[in-house]
Amino acid sequence: MNRRFPWLKFLTGIVLFTLWHQLYEFFPCRAVAIVAEGEPECIFAHQKMLFYPYILLSLVDYVRLRRRATVPASFLYARLLILVSAPWLMTSIWYVPEALGIRMGPTVELVYSILISFVGVYLEIQMEEPLEATRYGTAIRILLWILIAASLILYSGFALHPPFHGLFVS
């Protein structure tokens, strides 16, 4: 269907990502740490910043599409697949310079991190159309629910005590 790129949604996603990054500073409590960045700052926490805001963006999309009576049949499963995959895909991109032996100074790393965050939100939006056109069988539907449950457990459980591996703790 080749629709126009939803710039307002993209900018809203960036704002939500940024808000999620700072939410713990505004409300430093355990409940906020579970759904927002929390402490310590790490790649794993940044994955949550793509995960939870995208749930909000998807809810808004659902309401908007429902009003028009145009909700794709596979809307839910497409969004579940995006929720479980986009944060890990963003992490894969983020680690490319380190895999190549490129060391960045703090300023360059900050700019790179911001750009990769934009890419993460862009990726989520770009995945929607093709994945909503996909038919999901029973097995993949069950697996997506298992992956969503695993994601929620990981993002919640490791919020205050991430495992001691380079991927999770900087």
Side-chain angles (χ1 to χ4, degrees):
M1 175 209 244
N2 204 4
R3 60 184 179 166
R4 291 178 51 176
F5 185 73
W7 287 103
L8 181 59
K9 180 178 180 177
F10 176 72
L11 294 173
T12 302
I14 296 300
V15 167
L16 287 172
F17 184 95
T18 305
L19 174 66
W20 245 252
H21 192 279
Q22 302 304 121
L23 204 56
Y24 185 75
E25 290 181 26
F26 299 137
F27 306 102
C29 67
R30 184 178 209 99
V32 172
I34 288 171
V35 297
E37 183 173 20
E39 294 290 335
E41 181 169 339
C42 59
I43 294 297
F44 185 73
H46 284 78
Q47 289 178 318
K48 288 193 305 187
M49 289 183 263
L50 276 180
F51 185 85
Y52 288 110
Y54 189 70
I55 291 173
L56 295 178
L57 287 175
S58 293
L59 289 172
V60 169
D61 277 349
Y62 180 78
V63 168
R64 185 180 52 80
L65 292 170
R66 176 109 186 210
R67 285 185 182 156
R68 295 184 197 159
T70 59
V71 179
S74 59
F75 178 88
L76 174 63
Y77 293 99
R79 299 306 172 102
L80 293 178
L81 181 54
I82 293 166
L83 277 169
V84 299
S85 62
W88 292 97
L89 294 171
M90 181 195 69
T91 300
S92 297
I93 295 168
W94 196 88
Y95 272 109
V96 166
E98 190 167 330
L100 296 172
I102 299 169
R103 302 288 180 239
M104 296 181 270
T107 304
V108 173
E109 183 178 334
L110 176 63
V111 170
Y112 179 71
S113 297
I114 291 169
L115 289 174
I116 295 304
S117 302
F118 286 21
V119 169
V121 174
Y122 182 78
L123 173 67
E124 288 175 328
I125 293 170
Q126 289 300 318
M127 291 173 74
E128 292 171 356
E129 188 175 348
L131 292 178
E132 287 173 2
T134 302
R135 186 181 162 278
Y136 297 88
T138 303
I140 194 70
R141 288 178 182 208
I142 292 168
L143 288 168
L144 284 170
W145 283 114
I146 291 169
L147 290 169
I148 282 294
S151 295
L152 289 169
I153 291 166
L154 288 173
Y155 292 141
S156 300
F158 290 152
L160 301 173
H161 53 85
F164 294 103
H165 301 290
L167 177 62
F168 299 104
V169 179
S170 50

